[in-house]
Amino acid sequence: MADIAAAGREFIRLLGIQERLRSPGGCPWDRQQTKEDILKYLLAEAYELADAVADNSPGSIREELGDLLYQILFISSIAEEEGDFDLAGVLGDIAAKMIRRHPHVFESLKVNSIAEINSNWVRIKNEKENNHQTTGFFDRIPRSQPALARAQKVTERAANVGFDWKSRVEILEKIEEELNELKRVVRLDERDSLAKEAGDLMFSVMNFCRFIGIDAEKTLHETTSRFIARFNYIEEKLAGEGNTLEAASVDEMNRLWEEAKAVGLGG
């Protein structure tokens, strides 16, 4: 079990440090920050935490959790100074939300499986969202999500109400259609249309991933990591031959790329 008393003491200590930095006589840099400024750091820290979790590095996870928590407290502090809300409200809201979404723990609801728990979570979440003033079906999906993850979330939500492809074959045909459209605008040199058609092709490929149960964002990250591993191999081999990336020919780099694939580098 967590040492709640110790955690509480450290939490209060951190709040005091944060308040001191923002107060008159504190740190000029901290005092001039806005919510928008801190948001950039919060997103960066979230990505760094994701990397630490992926690396399964407990020390790094602990450090990045602290960095992320501090940015959350920073934004809460600014909001309180501006009269929007306070940290107690933030903590109270999330506590109430967790209780509301776990009626099988905090109330008498009986469940028989994880699937039932997930179903109840979605139902309760949707009931709450329906009480909010919104103007569109996708309004609750964050616009600031990475583009690929946002696209998959949008199509998942549309699929939940029946707006979806009937089979993976249909989506593959759509991918082929979009690829042909992209080829057409390339041949005609319709540069204004290139971005649109490229986007349509990426969206269709993402939809295929979503349809067959693949996380498109995670998949692209893994592919990018393979590319980096193989490219690093090229750089290292060239250095061993007394060569550099800048001086090497494309043929030389392709040769080493195939070597990297052959040895299974990057998976």
Side-chain angles (χ1 to χ4, degrees):
M1 295 292 291
D3 188 337
I4 296 176
R9 288 193 299 270
E10 292 300 329
F11 189 72
I12 292 171
R13 177 170 173 253
L14 181 60
L15 286 177
I17 292 169
Q18 205 281 318
E19 183 177 356
R20 171 75 183 278
L21 291 172
R22 285 282 293 184
S23 67
C27 174
W29 183 90
D30 286 75
R31 285 176 52 77
Q32 74 175 8
Q33 299 307 300
T34 66
K35 292 192 291 290
E36 291 75 19
D37 294 328
I38 299 305
L39 179 60
K40 295 180 294 185
Y41 301 113
L42 184 147
L43 292 173
E45 297 298 352
Y47 290 133
E48 290 178 12
L49 173 60
D51 284 349
V53 171
D55 293 339
N56 194 25
S57 172
S60 295
I61 293 172
R62 171 175 166 165
E63 179 181 355
E64 298 304 340
L65 280 171
D67 290 344
L68 183 59
L69 175 60
Y70 187 76
Q71 307 309 324
I72 293 170
L73 296 180
F74 208 144
I75 292 177
S76 295
S77 176
I78 295 171
E80 184 170 359
E81 293 168 10
E82 295 175 350
D84 296 334
F85 55 81
D86 59 17
L87 181 60
V90 173
L91 297 174
D93 285 351
I94 188 58
K97 180 184 289 186
M98 290 301 102
I99 291 172
R100 184 172 63 251
R101 293 189 183 178
H102 292 84
H104 56 287
V105 175
F106 298 103
E107 298 177 18
S108 57
L109 181 69
K110 302 296 182 183
V111 294
N112 298 310
S113 66
I114 297 297
E116 284 188 32
I117 293 173
N118 290 336
S119 177
N120 285 329
W121 178 282
V122 172
R123 175 183 57 78
I124 295 167
K125 183 175 186 290
N126 289 339
E127 287 173 355
K128 182 66 175 179
E129 287 183 357
N130 289 338
N131 291 330
H132 288 285
Q133 292 287 334
T134 59
T135 58
F137 185 66
F138 301 113
D139 282 0
R140 300 293 291 176
I141 297 175
R143 297 185 305 277
S144 298
Q145 270 189 298
L148 198 58
R150 180 179 179 231
Q152 184 153 349
K153 190 67 175 178
V154 164
T155 55
E156 283 175 357
R157 186 156 192 188
N160 286 338
V161 294
F163 191 73
D164 201 5
W165 299 94
K166 293 184 177 64
S167 70
R168 62 181 64 184
V169 173
E170 285 188 346
I171 310 178
L172 288 173
E173 290 173 349
K174 182 63 175 176
I175 291 172
E176 186 175 356
E177 175 190 323
E178 296 297 352
L179 178 58
N180 288 333
E181 282 295 306
L182 181 60
K183 290 177 179 178
R184 181 184 65 82
V185 297
V186 168
R187 286 195 302 269
L188 298 175
D189 200 24
E190 297 178 356
R191 300 195 63 81
D192 290 344
S193 301
L194 282 172
K196 174 183 177 299
E197 297 302 339
D200 289 346
L201 178 59
M202 287 189 285
F203 192 86
S204 297
V205 173
M206 174 281 306
N207 231 340
F208 179 79
C209 291
R210 189 266 313 163
F211 191 86
I212 63 175
I214 293 174
D215 185 321
E217 183 82 17
K218 180 174 181 289
T219 297
L220 185 57
H221 272 301
E222 291 171 349
T223 299
T224 303
S225 294
R226 285 197 298 274
F227 179 91
I228 291 172
R230 291 169 184 172
F231 202 82
N232 286 344
Y233 177 90
I234 293 173
E235 184 178 23
E236 291 169 6
K237 286 294 184 178
L238 286 172
E241 297 170 1
N243 204 348
T244 66
L245 290 170
E246 292 77 12
S249 68
V250 172
D251 287 342
E252 288 176 301
M253 287 191 281
N254 282 336
R255 170 179 60 82
L256 293 171
W257 178 271
E258 292 303 323
E259 277 187 19
K261 288 176 62 177
V263 299
L265 199 60

